[in-house]
Amino acid sequence: MGDIIVQMDSVRAPKSVANILSYVKDKHYNGTVFYRVEKGFVIQMGSWDAKGKGRPMHPGPVPFEGNNGLKNLRGTVALGHGEAPTSAGPDFFINLADDPGLDSGAGSVGYAVFGQVAGGMDVVDAIAQVPVGGGIGPMPAAAPVTSVTVIKVSLLPG
């Protein structure tokens, strides 16, 4: 649907950024899909292909960096995680709206923001409008009916 450029904050979220970069270098994301689309909330991707098959994750937990001062605002990118905040792996989401409920604090563990969409927010918004209920991946009701495939994730010079 187009290019999305993410600027990562290796100063405030160094371990989260290192985690994502390790997956980029391994070409983990190439050929995966956005498996979660929730209008007005998030779009999420990471480890699932168009047939619903998951990809292996690197061993070991990612240290939680949710108290880094970065907030879950529209266009920010944060690590997904399971029940434990250190269960993050390659999966991440892009916030479609400001969502302070996803921030750490006030009794909430929250989600660690590690970057910001620097280009292609129109593509993010287009993905957010696709019909869902595709039935694949870890959130089948939120999966696009027609897969939105990530062709290639690469690092820009700089």
Side-chain angles (χ1 to χ4, degrees):
M1 295 179 78
D3 294 337
I4 300 170
I5 298 170
V6 173
Q7 182 176 6
M8 295 186 277
D9 191 332
S10 61
V11 172
R12 294 194 276 184
K15 294 171 184 161
S16 299
V17 169
N19 174 60
I20 294 298
L21 290 176
S22 71
Y23 285 103
V24 171
K25 289 174 185 170
D26 287 349
K27 300 180 178 8
H28 177 90
Y29 299 114
N30 298 355
T32 60
V33 297
F34 282 89
Y35 62 81
R36 180 183 188 190
V37 173
E38 293 193 39
K39 291 173 179 63
F41 183 47
V42 300
I43 61 173
Q44 188 166 347
M45 62 162 287
S47 297
W48 301 88
D49 69 19
K51 295 180 181 173
K53 183 179 177 196
R55 294 195 174 171
M57 292 189 252
H58 297 163
V62 176
F64 183 64
E65 297 179 306
N67 295 315
N68 61 16
L70 300 172
K71 303 296 182 190
N72 282 278
L73 304 173
R74 176 172 163 73
T76 57
V77 185
L79 284 179
H81 62 71
E83 291 187 29
T86 56
S87 64
D91 294 21
F92 61 88
F93 59 88
I94 301 172
N95 286 292
L96 300 173
D98 293 357
D99 197 340
L102 296 179
D103 294 334
S104 293
S108 172
V109 171
Y111 294 84
V113 173
F114 66 88
Q116 171 81 36
V117 173
M121 197 62 193
D122 58 328
V123 176
V124 171
D125 290 334
I127 294 169
Q129 298 304 314
V130 301
V132 297
I136 64 153
M139 300 175 184
V145 172
T146 301
S147 296
V148 178
T149 303
V150 177
I151 297 168
K152 180 180 176 184
V153 175
S154 56
L155 299 176
L156 297 175

